[in-house]
Amino acid sequence: MNLLDFLVPVEELVRRDGPEGCVVISSRVRLARNLEGMPFPGRAKKSDRAKALERIQEAVAQLPQMEGGLIRQMDSFSSWEKQALVERHLISREHAANGEGSGLALSRDQSVGVMINEEDHIRMHALLPGFQLEAAWRAIDELDTLLEERLDYAFSAKLGYLTACPTNVGTGIRVSAMLHLPGLVFAEQINQVIQAVNKLGLAVRGLYGEGTEALGNIFQVSNQMTLGESEEEILAKLRKVTAQLVEHEQNAREALLEKKPRMVFNTVGRAFGTLANAFTISSKEAINLLSVWRLGVELGMFPGVPRALADELLLLCQPAHLQLIRPREMKPEERDILRADLLRSRLAAVARPSLPPNHSDALDK
Amino acid sequence: MLCTVCKKKEATVHLTQIVGDKLIKVDLCEECAKEKGIDDPTGFALAEVLMGLGVSEEAGQTASQTRCPQCGCSHADFKKTGRLGCPKCYEVFAEELAEVLKSMHRGARHVGKAPRKKQRARSVEERIELLQRKLEQAVAVEEYEEAARLRDEIRTLKKE
């Protein structure tokens, strides 16, 4: 089956809204697990990897969550397909580099997934739109509990779930929220906020996780410690910090409108101008401008335009999503042209920006 | 002199090793020596033989040469990649890891979810750990009879 036929269509995906969706793009909980008595994937011989893959695939296939889902080996995907899975945050960039001996299972609705033979034998995740950390934890906890009946996990009473990297040992959990924080970036408070979050023992990462830059004012906040704290404690901490970040972001947006309305409207207006009129545009520029436009939509500068359109374009503008709509491999320059064409046509019906209703006199200040 | 391990046969293999500043002596019969794989007296730690559990104490001095018997991962490999080779590595490099884990995490002991199957095993494992500490102490003060008794008890628990 073609991967595109399986994946939830982008326009449908972005209409799945969650609580606090204006700031919290998505909530994710992932668990790392390994099989007892087997070398971790990084050290495993080909035959051991194959054995682990087979065992896990078989167990995962029996899960009710995977009914109607997809279970495949990584070498069955083209590199563009793997890249598209990364763009949807369904696999890690590391897993995209894997081929034979590694696998992937996704539920029909793509809210849960299992990476097989990534850094650990099993990396399972639940990914939900908006601020739904609890629900994501419940979903993945349930899957894990079913899976543990069918597989023997490497587990020690003292150190908990044993993982290839000691940074994950214990609960093996990573709870993360993906946040859109243009307000804090424009208010130049983002570095302070990141430092404060780091002090709490949490990590702040870019759009695609570890070691990536914060494209489009999008940040991932997640726990780093996994040993000595229970899942519930970690979850509670993330929930609290995320709620605070949502509040800070909203305060920053209000303060910006209050103090620097011309700067905000100017930035948003110019972003829209470029997006709606460019004839070639890189993915980086498009993502950064779409982030600004998304803010403008939320501020009410584009009446009648749903935020989902911004989110849809954010996904469609990424290289693999663009490439996969064309049968022929494109050069980066060709993709930049196609991206600009797509943006112009999708934004053609959007009216030019207007001042939000309660800010019509803002510029006089 | 009877063999320290089986306490049945006459000991014909006599080993002495200095670990840290302590002198450890073990007397084994031929069978037990073979069973423990002692054909090269320089290549193993006595404490390991006594405990029979693959956990070496005072491993500090030989850390970089220690290899995980299950996957062959060495401490140097771990240092280079930051990844361990297999679940067993957590036992083999327990001492080196203790420091690393302390700097990374809030605590040194897991709290939270455990596989249902392992929940009973968990209390057994804790008991083994306690016995193992006692065993190390017994070896340290050269109480080999007590050490052998503890070792047998650990074995029985492990078999369960």
Side-chain angles (χ1 to χ4, degrees), chain A residues 57-58 60-62 66 69-73 104-106 116:
Chain A
Q57 263 191 331
E58 199 192 306
V60 170
Q62 292 170 22
M66 291 301 165
L70 160 143
I71 300 185
R72 275 174 50 178
Q73 310 216 0
L104 173 69
L106 291 171
I116 306 169

Side-chain angles (χ1 to χ4, degrees), chain A residues 40 141 144 153 158 163-164, chain B residues 84-85 90 110 113 116 118:
Chain A
F40 299 135
D141 181 34
D144 176 55
Y153 286 159
K158 188 176 177 214
T163 51
Chain B
L84 292 159
Y90 278 95
H110 173 56
K113 191 173 181 179
R116 234 172 271 167
K118 298 276 165 77

Side-chain angles (χ1 to χ4, degrees), chain A residues 295-314:
Chain A
L295 173 68
V297 169
E298 278 159 5
L299 294 177
M301 292 174 67
F302 299 88
V305 174
R307 184 179 63 227
L309 179 59
D311 290 333
E312 185 183 350
L313 294 175
L314 265 167

Side-chain angles (χ1 to χ4, degrees), chain A residues 36 38 40 43 119 141 144-145 148 151-153 155-158 160-161 163-164 166-167 170 225-228 231, chain B residues 71-73 77 82-87 90 104-107 109-118 122 125:
Chain A
E36 209 168 53
M38 299 274 284
F40 299 135
R43 202 169 176 95
E119 181 181 294
D141 181 34
D144 176 55
T145 302
E148 78 179 28
L151 296 168
D152 287 314
Y153 286 159
F155 180 87
S156 104
K158 188 176 177 214
Y161 296 95
T163 51
T167 50
M225 290 183 262
T226 51
L227 186 62
E231 290 86 352
Chain B
C71 70
C73 180
D77 291 337
R83 307 283 183 278
L84 292 159
C86 74
Y90 278 95
M104 281 173 182
H105 298 290
R106 166 126 321 166
R109 192 163 248 301
H110 173 56
V111 257
K113 191 173 181 179
R116 234 172 271 167
K117 284 189 246 179
K118 298 276 165 77
R122 206 170 168 180
E125 230 173 284

Side-chain angles (χ1 to χ4, degrees), chain B residues 18-139:
Chain B
I18 296 165
V19 177
D21 50 7
K22 289 186 197 85
L23 189 73
I24 301 179
K25 280 189 201 162
V26 179
D27 307 290
L28 304 163
C29 68
E30 234 177 325
E31 275 96 317
C32 288
K34 239 183 223 157
E35 195 195 310
K36 298 288 174 194
I38 304 167
D39 37 26
D40 173 15
T42 55
F44 70 97
L46 277 190
E48 227 168 85
V49 174
L50 258 184
M51 292 187 266
L53 301 166
V55 180
S56 68
E57 58 155 19
E58 321 264 4
Q61 320 115 34
T62 51
S64 53
Q65 280 107 51
T66 313
R67 280 190 178 274
C68 172
Q70 197 130 30
C71 70
C73 180
S74 71
H75 188 231
D77 291 337
F78 167 60
K79 273 192 150 171
K80 208 166 81 188
T81 61
R83 307 283 183 278
L84 292 159
C86 74
K88 179 91 179 162
C89 290
Y90 278 95
E91 286 171 41
V92 179
F93 305 113
E95 204 169 311
E96 296 91 327
L97 273 169
E99 279 303 300
V100 178
L101 291 173
K102 216 163 111 186
S103 66
M104 281 173 182
H105 298 290
R106 166 126 321 166
R109 192 163 248 301
H110 173 56
V111 257
K113 191 173 181 179
R116 234 172 271 167
K117 284 189 246 179
K118 298 276 165 77
Q119 269 160 13
R120 197 194 69 87
R122 206 170 168 180
S123 57
V124 174
E125 230 173 284
E126 272 164 23
R127 176 139 179 78
I128 290 176
E129 207 181 299
L130 180 79
L131 289 173
Q132 199 145 347
R133 265 200 302 271
K134 278 192 188 166
L135 174 56
E136 282 170 31
Q137 282 163 10
V139 172

Side-chain angles (χ1 to χ4, degrees), chain A residues 220-236:
Chain A
Q220 285 184 39
V221 177
S222 62
N223 67 300
Q224 282 181 295
M225 290 183 262
T226 51
L227 186 62
E229 285 174 293
S230 70
E231 290 86 352
E232 282 76 16
E233 287 172 289
I234 294 169
L235 206 62

